Amino acid sequence: MARPTPLSGFPEWLPDGRIVEQHVLDVLRRTFELHGFAGIETRAVEPLDQLLRKGETSKEVYVLRRLQEDPETPAARGHREAEKGLGLHFDLTVPFARYVLENAGHLAFPFRRYQIQKVWRGERPQDGRFREFVQADVDVVGAGSLPYHYEVELPLVMADALGALRDLGVPPVRILVNNRKVAEGFYRGLGLTDVEAVLRGIDKLDKIGSDAVAEVLVAEAGATPAQAAACLELAAVNGEDTGVVDRVRELAARYDASTDLLEEGLGELGALVAAAAERAPGVLVADLRIARGLDYYTGSVYETVLVGHEDLGSICSGGRYDTLASDGATTYPGVGLSIGVSRLVSRLLSAGLVRATRSVPTAVLVAVTSEERRAASDAVAAALRSRGIPTEVAPSASKFGKQIRHADRRGIPYVWFVGDTSDDGAPAQDEVKDIRTGAQQPADAATWAPPGEDLLPRVVAAG
Amino acid sequence: MARPTPLSGFPEWLPDGRIVEQHVLDVLRRTFELHGFAGIETRAVEPLDQLLRKGETSKEVYVLRRLQEDPETPAARGHREAEKGLGLHFDLTVPFARYVLENAGHLAFPFRRYQIQKVWRGERPQDGRFREFVQADVDVVGAGSLPYHYEVELPLVMADALGALRDLGVPPVRILVNNRKVAEGFYRGLGLTDVEAVLRGIDKLDKIGSDAVAEVLVAEAGATPAQAAACLELAAVNGEDTGVVDRVRELAARYDASTDLLEEGLGELGALVAAAAERAPGVLVADLRIARGLDYYTGSVYETVLVGHEDLGSICSGGRYDTLASDGATTYPGVGLSIGVSRLVSRLLSAGLVRATRSVPTAVLVAVTSEERRAASDAVAAALRSRGIPTEVAPSASKFGKQIRHADRRGIPYVWFVGDTSDDGAPAQDEVKDIRTGAQQPADAATWAPPGEDLLPRVVAAG
């Protein structure tokens, strides 16, 4: 087999990169569990008809077929696949909704769950956009109803989780919040009825600028130039405190665009901003320009930027669905957010923002004096491991200098020499060497331990 | 959407089952890292031509197709897929071999890696046999050569990992060991040349019994009845100490079947059994009947049974490959084992062997006195979490009895009441109730902690 080349869109990390990713995942899991979210995993596949319910995602789905299934005519096949076929999930929301319906009788609602898994999308790979990637989701789902306070809580859970990553050297984040009711209430108050068209136009602000968006709103959303200008004024509102609510109210009064829906939305947005200013100051920002996803969601909507890396796009998005799932008898509303772990980790690694202090878990390499005495080295390793110290034994009884280089190449900080009274270069009693400083001292495998910071590889800010 | 039904062969657990699985995974990872194995993850897909190199697995592969790829004629399609198609990996060995070749320049050899991921096989689902399941692999791979002592070390790593699971209530295991060189050396010494045919016959022992196997060896492996009897005598040898080696040598002398290959194999097997008797007494057993996989492997081969659940089949198998991978210039020999985590966990759950002490991570539910005072409950929760205590806040300010039932249904052991001097049923100062005993006492969110055993859900032997 010739040397294989990487597959575009399917990221893999070298061992030290995987240590970074694993640390990120551990911190997220730990934070989600501190907030009382239960972890679940769902299968990688869902029935195609469920995956294709949202038309626009159909392009992205990977369809599965067993190799021994004989291909018949394309038409017969297409039919069978549409009816009974399976595809890889492209997010964790569709599978979660199905899991809730399937297991509703065994779950206690409101049900808080986190889920960290790979998802697959057949999109064209780009920087930060993959065909296989890891998502980390938290959602709360209710049976029949779900109080608004969860729309305040969930982004704060993510603020906590992303904040905990700062200890690893991850840059700060800003979670941008909008509310579908505010946007829709304002547009309707202005007299605009094609709300989706307005949202689609506003969504283009970053790409084409406000003049072009105004033209789009006139051409495609049936707005007058004055209405278009008012929509753009709303989109320009942002801030970290409840002053945002006052500014929107002012705007609505000026354009005579107040509606009950707008007031309801402002009440919600105001509560969120107030709680955020208290519990995660500077992290949550109301930003009335956020339009993406507003057509799926029914209340709050969230996007998150990594400060200094805004070009990466959102690394944590989500919102409120009034109907996450429904089995006819019961409707399950939900609110949740999803972190794009692969997008985040790939930037951390490619921009050299963080690094692992070594590429292996091993803290100690036990040297081998001769193959006949390998068992003595194995015994030292077992003693160290029994006290939680990651240890491996040298691959061969080569010269000690070579064994030290073996450790050095992997970043293993300590080499252990097993004591031996014969004349072969080994010390008379056990000694351990810090190969970074060269300091070597007598040690007992039953009691010696490395400093805490050397015990396991750590992830630290690079540079 | 009507209530969906589970998909056969794609196991999913309820939250308390997932806690069991997650604990198992955590213990395995922890043990692998203590032994100095670096974790990697590979993508879920490999090129079909790589997946189909072993002919017999071709049936099991799931082929991927992007939905928007227009089907052409079946013939054109089949061709394109065989040439460029992707399939889901069916084990972690094929992807690891590819990863080693792809990254050889960045890895330090011998390279010790563990890998815990899902794999997919389109087989007919049965008890303990799934279409999607989790494997946990450890391998050591060398560049050019790999000393025999790794064939001793790797099963001992797994003995350590599976032994660590006993704290969770998992039954003991027995790791059965054989050596390809012993079997082949003995068969050749007898004058049998179709070694694969003999192995295929011996592999049927459990299913059809020794008389029928003898007939198979005569009919299909060209053995005389006396040669067949000798093969069956070899297969009957097993034991925990080096007496096994003596018995095989005796047998070979009796049949005049000694060969250099047999002696080399016996030297290896003897070293393994001797080390195992020292380091994991009673766990590793030489069993000369183990034939499965001997045609893939070139040295030691391992299978593992869960004691009392032998019907489940092997839960941890592997062996030595002289050519795990090769890029023409360099050959990479390896040795490793793979735990069938889903098979193990599904038996633990279905047989009720272990259970989680609760179904959520939450140790404390903070009650809410009124929605106006929810922020006070949020503040208590934040204080507890900051000291590592998993905490959630009650979903609504319902009667305290209902809030306690909310905790009780999830197994949350403590309910916290936020102090309030107004007359609404709340205590004047903060109090915490152990809802299992009903004991309630004053508590301070800045200092109180639950007993260690209540902090997180634990996994314990059931019954």
Side-chain angles (χ1 to χ4, degrees), chain A residues 357-358 361-364 384 387-390 411-416 432-437 439 441 443 447-458:
Chain A
T357 52
R358 58 183 187 255
T362 317
V364 181
L384 293 172
R387 293 186 299 107
I389 303 165
I412 300 173
Y414 297 95
V415 175
W416 192 284
V432 66
K433 179 196 279 283
D434 181 334
I435 66 169
R436 297 160 301 186
T437 63
Q441 54 177 21
T447 54
W448 179 87
E453 64 184 34
D454 284 339
L455 187 63
L456 292 167
R458 286 169 300 118

Side-chain angles (χ1 to χ4, degrees), chain A residues 229-243:
Chain A
C231 293
L232 286 165
E233 274 195 77
L234 181 72
V237 174
N238 63 70
E240 291 178 28
D241 57 41
T242 50

